[in-house]
Amino acid sequence: IFVSQDDRGVLARVANLPDLEFRGSSEPTALKQAITKVKQILAEWHAAGEEIPWIDPIPEPDDGEQQRWVPVHL
């Protein structure tokens, strides 16, 4: 997950799945939102037998972003 901060709070962007961004007032809040939603989405895709659209290789963080490695167990 890539995180960045601006005047609206912290943005957590899931680096290896498309179009998943979450905003919170703090990094822990934004990360919690991201992790909760990623687990939900992965479980739904798996249950439906859908292929997970992983982005591989994982891109580099954009300017102003920091990378956070977050293990997700379903």
Side-chain angles (χ1 to χ4, degrees):
I1 295 178
F2 297 148
V3 295
S4 60
Q5 189 163 2
D6 61 19
D7 59 341
R8 297 182 298 153
V10 175
L11 180 68
R13 181 170 65 90
V14 180
N16 60 339
L17 290 170
D19 305 319
L20 292 177
E21 296 183 345
F22 305 89
R23 187 169 292 281
S25 58
S26 66
E27 185 172 322
T29 301
L31 288 173
K32 182 177 180 181
Q33 289 178 39
I35 293 164
T36 299
K37 189 64 174 180
V38 165
K39 285 183 177 184
Q40 175 191 347
I41 290 170
L42 290 175
E44 289 172 3
W45 284 334
H46 179 71
E50 295 180 29
E51 187 172 332
I52 297 171
W54 298 114
I55 297 172
D56 187 28
I58 297 172
E60 293 294 316
D62 290 340
D63 288 342
E65 290 182 322
Q66 296 180 342
Q67 188 169 14
R68 302 289 187 257
W69 290 98
V70 180
V72 176
H73 303 279
L74 298 175

